Amino acid sequence: MIQLLSAGLRVNNNVFEILDQQLLPSQETWIAVQSPSHMVEIIKALKVRGAPMIGICAAIALAQYAEKTSSIVEIEHAAHELQNARPTAVNLAYCIGKMLATPRQDWQKGALWEAAVKLFHEDITLCESIAKHGIPLLKNGAQLLTICNTGRIATAGIGTALGIAYKAHELGMNIHVNVVETRPLLQGGRLTIWELKKQNVPCTLLIDNAAAALMQKGVVDAVFVGADRIACNGDSANKIGTYSLAVLAAYHRIPFYVVAPYTTVDPLCESGMHIEIEQRSFSEVHGVQGSFGNVTWAESSVQVFNPAFDVTPAELITGIVLDCGYFNQKAIKHGEHLKIEEK
Amino acid sequence: MIQLLSAGLRVNNNVFEILDQQLLPSQETWIAVQSPSHMVEIIKALKVRGAPMIGICAAIALAQYAEKTSSIVEIEHAAHELQNARPTAVNLAYCIGKMLATPRQDWQKGALWEAAVKLFHEDITLCESIAKHGIPLLKNGAQLLTICNTGRIATAGIGTALGIAYKAHELGMNIHVNVVETRPLLQGGRLTIWELKKQNVPCTLLIDNAAAALMQKGVVDAVFVGADRIACNGDSANKIGTYSLAVLAAYHRIPFYVVAPYTTVDPLCESGMHIEIEQRSFSEVHGVQGSFGNVTWAESSVQVFNPAFDVTPAELITGIVLDCGYFNQKAIKHGEHLKIEEK
């Protein structure tokens, strides 16, 4: 009997449930995943999000499906459908790749479940290792700044960028996390604040365009962000607004760290130029939608520029924290973040 | 009989009405101003906003009041109350100062009305002069970026920063205005887009944290912003998020212009350090409130950093466009923007 439990997903035998992140923080509702195409819907609707989390959920959905079908071709078809649910995060491709690399003849004999469970546990370990390498970058009393949600519901473990803050807090360090709300989908204001409050980590919320003023006041000691894809040269794609924070941090001489598991590094992607950026719907910017309500303030006819991600060039990144170590600018230039022993 | 009419205010004899900017764009509702303290309420609730507009409205409210009271002391008291309605914009102090400088014995014989009407017409002329000095900064086909609302409802005329865009469009230039939504109160998404659509100026809406990505794409030719107070050394206070755009523009080598009437220059304010920044309520960041609805997504217990304005240091400002001319960095350094003949 398979049992998995994290802040954002749970598996109890063949029942696979996901915490609906669109309904947070006002409602904690779990969705029972029915099929790979249901999972794709859930991913596209951002009911589950966070690059590592999406990969693991897709893997579990595939394992679950293998028990329901006798067709190898259908499993492969479902795998491709899952892999294409979102284009930017590389972890999704990584997880599905791991699943498909298992012996095909064992797919319906538990091999896919075994692979998915391994990915789940691997992610927990990755988060712990990331935190271990991130902690030395913090001083006691540090004021951090972060964007979006890179915590417990974005991974199977304690998180990536936010995981470092959780670990510091757990170790008794006195830290404070400043969170930009992260328009348009408000993952900072809705999810990260909810998580930090739950873990009793001191935090402050601000609008995205107040980050510069907070830095100008001298309040911010370091910026920690997640990543959806890290190119060979260190260029990193992450939530829209991350690049903005990187430019602001450089101007204010504040260290800017990208934090991710090694699975986010894409050895096939030479530079940021090659990262596909998903454009999302106008309605996200015409107003806000969520379990909290649905309001529109802008003229519905107005054209919108709404990329889901932006790319931060390596020269603005002080260092990349991976599970396998910390890589400063020089190390990134030498491609040391690419020389990773696979676990 | 006194008659004044602009996009955001109208006076018909002693009836003084203001377009409720909190209800825009979904409702166009006019509020009849009853008294100076009613005007203060209206200003504090941001039903009327825009540094020049606030000053003119306060002046008219004072003139209106002079007809209703026989007490000079009460008029003076009302003047001080109006002047303190918001701390950051200097225009308010300027306009009230002009009113109080009229001969006291004539206050109830029409001198205050005369002064208020003069301020109204002066503002229209100031906007036209600003536009005249701003136009040479634009090339045909220019893609502008702006924040907040600096247009027809922020002034008695065509606007300040946005006025330049209106004038360019009127002159047949092919321009496009990119507007950041301007959290927390969404003046960009609600008001500026509404105005631009009304005037048929091509425009695009984006979230505040997508401005950097738009600049990175090479789309933005120039940033034009308003100001609430310009210090002697050129440091400028404006809507929160302006400083962020200034840093981003400098990094991308995009010209960054501050646009205002001369009344925004505060000769008593040495530098940005001396500009008082208003902190506004947490609820503005916990969600959004307006005629479009009222929703809250963040934990109501979370602490918020919510300054209404930020200060852009002069070294990030390519130039300041005033009604009396264009002042580049060198001119600002020499204090030429301070040597203004009063009209």
Side-chain angles (χ1 to χ4, degrees), chain A residues 181 183 205 243 252 303, chain B residues 181 183 205 243 252 303:
Chain A
E181 67 176 15
R183 275 282 286 153
L205 175 62
Y243 169 58
H252 294 91
Q303 187 185 317
Chain B
E181 67 175 15
R183 275 283 284 154
L205 176 63
Y243 169 58
H252 294 92
Q303 187 185 318

Side-chain angles (χ1 to χ4, degrees), chain B residues 250-263:
Chain B
Y251 179 77
H252 294 92
R253 298 171 194 280
I254 296 168
F256 180 90
Y257 301 111
V258 170
V259 185
Y262 79 98
T263 50

Side-chain angles (χ1 to χ4, degrees), chain B residues 56-72:
Chain B
I56 292 157
C57 288
I60 296 173
L62 193 66
Q64 186 192 38
Y65 182 60
E67 291 192 349
K68 294 183 186 169
T69 179
S70 58
S71 160
I72 291 287

Side-chain angles (χ1 to χ4, degrees), chain B:
Chain B
M1 187 165 123
I2 292 154
Q3 280 194 313
L4 302 174
L5 184 63
S6 77
L9 77 84
R10 59 193 185 198
V11 175
N12 195 343
N13 218 352
N14 206 19
V15 178
F16 169 30
E17 291 177 305
I18 281 172
L19 182 60
D20 187 339
Q21 299 194 25
Q22 282 293 80
L23 299 184
L24 289 176
S26 57
Q27 293 168 42
E28 298 186 20
T29 302
W30 292 80
I31 306 166
V33 180
Q34 304 301 335
S35 64
S37 57
H38 185 209
M39 188 72 240
V40 169
E41 256 177 57
I42 290 169
I43 291 172
K44 280 192 197 285
L46 303 180
K47 291 177 182 181
V48 68
R49 41 144 300 286
M53 185 67 163
I54 289 173
I56 292 157
C57 288
I60 296 173
L62 193 66
Q64 186 192 38
Y65 182 60
E67 291 192 349
K68 294 183 186 169
T69 179
S70 58
S71 160
I72 291 287
V73 174
E74 276 181 15
I75 296 172
E76 277 181 332
H77 177 79
H80 289 118
E81 200 193 358
L82 283 162
Q83 185 165 337
N84 295 321
R86 289 190 78 183
T88 308
V90 71
N91 316 58
L92 185 54
Y94 167 84
C95 287
I96 295 297
K98 283 282 179 192
M99 299 291 281
L100 294 182
T102 55
R104 190 177 285 230
Q105 67 274 17
D106 299 337
W107 281 3
Q108 279 139 322
K109 297 178 202 150
L112 290 181
W113 262 121
E114 205 178 296
V117 169
K118 195 178 161 200
L119 286 167
F120 178 88
H121 289 299
E122 183 193 67
D123 195 54
I124 294 173
T125 310
L126 290 174
C127 289
E128 292 295 325
S129 303
I130 286 168
K132 191 183 80 184
H133 295 295
I135 289 290
L137 302 171
L138 297 186
K139 56 171 195 191
N140 197 29
Q143 287 268 352
L144 314 182
L145 180 71
T146 192
I147 184 168
C148 199
N149 175 269
T150 56
R152 286 162 193 264
I153 53 174
T155 62
I158 57 170
T160 56
L162 206 59
I164 298 173
Y166 287 137
K167 187 55 75 179
H169 181 70
E170 194 188 305
L171 294 173
M173 288 174 74
N174 175 22
I175 58 143
H176 190 103
V177 185
N178 298 284
V179 182
V180 294
E181 67 175 15
T182 322
R183 275 283 284 154
L185 300 177
L186 306 159
Q187 294 93 335
R190 289 193 301 116
L191 307 177
T192 299
I193 292 298
W194 171 77
E195 270 199 20
L196 289 167
K197 282 274 168 194
K198 229 174 181 171
Q199 304 295 326
N200 290 313
V201 179
C203 58
T204 299
L205 176 63
L206 56 152
I207 52 172
D208 300 296
N209 51 9
L214 195 69
M215 291 182 187
Q216 190 184 38
K217 277 170 75 87
V219 169
V220 182
D221 295 305
V223 181
F224 283 82
V225 303
D228 286 79
R229 193 178 287 245
I230 300 173
C232 293
N233 72 343
D235 293 353
S236 298
N238 191 45
K239 182 58 53 209
I240 183 74
T242 302
Y243 169 58
S244 184
L245 293 181
V247 173
L248 296 171
Y251 179 77
H252 294 92
R253 298 171 194 280
I254 296 168
F256 180 90
Y257 301 111
V258 170
V259 185
Y262 79 98
T263 50
T264 307
V265 179
D266 184 358
L268 302 176
C269 180
E270 210 179 296
S271 77
M273 270 179 55
H274 303 89
I275 300 176
E276 183 188 346
I277 298 292
E278 186 184 349
Q279 285 279 339
R280 295 188 58 87
S281 89
F282 286 13
S283 63
E284 290 182 357
V285 179
H286 287 156
V288 286
Q289 293 89 37
S291 60
F292 49 80
N294 189 334
V295 299
T296 301
W297 51 74
E299 302 268 336
S300 62
S301 64
V302 71
Q303 187 185 318
V304 166
F305 173 64
N306 187 25
F309 304 94
D310 55 27
V311 175
T312 300
E315 72 248 31
L316 291 177
I317 299 171
T318 308
I320 300 179
V321 185
L322 299 179
D323 50 286
C324 45
Y326 171 67
F327 302 88
N328 63 18
Q329 279 217 329
K330 203 174 148 196
I332 298 167
K333 254 193 190 141
H334 289 139
E336 286 172 27
H337 62 297
L338 297 168
K339 297 170 196 154
I340 295 159
E341 291 283 312
E342 255 197 42
K343 310 281 145 81

Side-chain angles (χ1 to χ4, degrees), chain A residues 126 261-267 322-325 327 335-343:
Chain A
L126 289 174
Y262 78 97
T263 50
T264 306
V265 179
D266 183 358
L322 299 178
D323 50 285
C324 46
F327 303 88
E336 286 173 26
H337 61 297
L338 298 167
K339 297 169 194 151
I340 295 158
E341 291 283 312
E342 258 199 40
K343 310 284 146 78

